[in-house]
Amino acid sequence: MDIVRERLRSTFRWVGDRTDRGFQADVTGWWRDPLVVERIGRSLAGLFDGEQVNVVVGPESRGSLLGALVARELGVGLAEVRKDGEPLADSDRWWEVSSGPDYRDRHLRMGLRRSMLRAGDRALFVDDWIDTGAQTAACHALVEMSGARWVGAAVVVDAFDRPDLRRALRVRSLLHVRDLR
Ligand SMILES: O=P(O)(O)OC[C@H]1O[C@H](OP(=O)(O)OP(=O)(O)O)[C@H](O)[C@@H]1O
Ligand SMILES: Nc1ncnc2[nH]cnc12
């Protein structure tokens, strides 16, 4: 296992009791580790090495934090997807979809300003975690709606139990959730 994956494992913690409703993943230790901050953008970008990407799509908030690091590495920009967000001005044209139930059973309105994605763009989705896949699927729908191409989904932790959708969404990860147990 390389040093970035090792640090991701050692700075991660589960909070609460496994049988408890409050049992949660705490990834904040990642952001506090300078080595992770320095190298994670390159590691995530490397999951799609050799593929042409000209925009990174990152959902608020941890996806846009990581997305900015990946975009910096690739020399491209970031299209931030808001959750239950609104256009800032009535004149803003906005793409929006509703997600299926996510890991907290929420149906989120996910959206972004239309000018953030253009037909012909090649979009790489970035996030910290994929669980039900509902938010990733919603972002995929936004990318398709805009006419951009979906290159794939680069995530830190894969906790997705839908192999068919993993393939369809081209999900690649640095860790599987079982690496954190
Ligand atoms: O696979 P799913 O079940 O759709 O869940 C995955 C999403 O859930 C988490 O975000 P959350 O909405 O908790 O927001 P945060 O990044 O602001 O913590 C995570 O960062 C992913 O974006
Ligand atoms: N089980 C989980 N813990 C923390 N963040 C998540 N995002 C999606 N699923 C998650």
Side-chain angles (χ1 to χ4, degrees):
M1 188 168 280
D2 68 28
I3 181 78
V4 175
R5 287 177 168 89
E6 272 172 25
R7 290 289 191 94
L8 289 167
R9 288 179 66 186
S10 63
T11 55
F12 171 85
R13 64 183 190 137
W14 291 108
V15 181
D17 205 0
R18 220 165 266 254
T19 52
D20 186 2
R21 263 175 64 87
F23 184 58
Q24 285 189 63
D26 179 8
V27 304
T28 54
W30 295 346
W31 323 134
R32 187 65 181 83
D33 184 333
L35 184 135
V36 171
V37 172
E38 184 196 335
R39 301 203 195 169
I40 196 166
R42 178 166 301 179
S43 297
L44 285 167
L47 296 171
F48 287 88
D49 204 18
E51 306 227 15
Q52 218 189 312
V53 170
N54 74 332
V55 61
V56 168
V57 172
E60 175 192 353
S61 59
R62 290 177 275 164
S64 48
L65 187 166
L66 283 168
L69 296 173
V70 175
R72 169 81 171 78
E73 178 63 29
L74 294 173
V76 303
L78 171 73
E80 181 190 16
V81 174
R82 305 302 307 274
K83 296 177 181 173
D84 287 341
E86 303 284 344
L88 290 177
D90 289 344
S91 56
D92 276 350
R93 297 177 69 233
W94 194 253
W95 297 113
E96 187 169 285
V97 297
S98 288
S99 77
D102 74 355
Y103 76 110
R104 288 201 221 145
D105 219 18
R106 296 171 301 181
H107 292 262
L108 295 165
R109 285 182 298 108
M110 302 188 68
L112 79 171
R113 195 144 53 87
R114 288 194 182 195
S115 59
M116 296 290 103
L117 289 174
R118 299 181 204 99
D121 278 344
R122 293 183 56 85
L124 177 65
F125 173 86
V126 171
D127 210 345
D128 64 325
W129 201 287
I130 183 166
D131 188 323
T132 65
Q135 294 189 31
T136 309
C139 289
H140 179 258
L142 288 170
V143 168
E144 297 263 293
M145 215 177 249
S146 71
R149 284 274 286 281
W150 178 268
V151 173
V155 301
V156 181
V157 178
D158 179 350
F160 200 21
D161 63 2
R162 293 279 308 271
D164 52 334
L165 277 181
R166 182 188 286 103
R167 265 194 305 279
L169 294 168
R170 298 195 79 211
V171 177
R172 297 181 189 168
S173 69
L174 296 177
L175 297 174
H176 191 274
V177 70
R178 76 175 85 86
D179 299 325
L180 299 172
R181 293 204 163 119

